[in-house]
Amino acid sequence: MAEHRTMQRAALLDAARALLSEGGTEALTFPSLARRTGLARSSVYEYFRSRAAVVEELCAVDFPAWAAEVEAAMAASESPEGKIEAYVRQQLSLVGDRRHRAVVAISAGELDAGAREKIRAAHGGLIAMVVEALGSLGHEQPRLTAMLLQGVVDAAVRRIELAAAEDPEEITEAAVEMALRGVRG
């Protein structure tokens, strides 16, 4: 019984990811979750009390997993520049991933404090790693530089998601080049 509930919860989260990546936060409704999973709408309420609860659980599950992938890529590199390059590349390589698209949609939407805190915590760990790498490159304001670097990544993410004229590889290379030139000063 518990295993069945776990599977249904996972199916609901997967349906939520799909809805978010297809239509943003407006697309995430209990009727659409019920349709996607074949559950009765009342059954959806047995798992989640509100839309915010669905979003909060996705943040709790997906954001740390996504952050761990970026962290692992950074940890695999020896040099500070290599860590920064991995930070940019890994985030951009996750753009097509449904979990990432869902996270982007969630971040753009209205979040309750709990969900915002989970995102901040996961993101904070990544930023801390970048701040450390920038510190070892001798930056006087590594935290500010890390925030600006994330701005470059966010702009590249949007560009890739728009299916811009450039190939995603081109966008990634340009972002990496800009990041590395920028952090070297």
Side-chain angles (χ1 to χ4, degrees), residues 1-20:
M1 183 67 186
E3 194 176 312
H4 180 66
R5 284 191 67 78
T6 305
M7 281 171 56
Q8 285 197 324
R9 187 177 207 92
L12 282 165
L13 288 176
D14 211 45
R17 283 180 195 102
L19 290 164
L20 283 163

Side-chain angles (χ1 to χ4, degrees), residues 61-129:
V61 173
D62 289 357
F63 230 99
W66 171 79
E69 288 177 41
V70 176
E71 202 170 309
M74 289 175 75
S77 183
E78 297 292 312
S79 71
E81 284 101 340
K83 288 184 186 312
I84 289 161
E85 180 174 347
Y87 176 78
V88 175
R89 274 191 197 285
Q90 189 62 31
Q91 285 191 69
L92 297 181
S93 78
L94 294 169
V95 171
D97 187 302
R98 199 146 74 177
R99 285 171 314 160
H100 183 265
R101 282 208 305 271
V103 160
V104 169
I106 288 168
S107 302
E110 285 303 299
L111 292 176
D112 68 348
R116 255 199 315 275
E117 197 39 58
K118 285 187 175 71
I119 288 178
R120 232 192 324 274
H123 220 265
L126 286 179
I127 293 289
M129 289 181 75

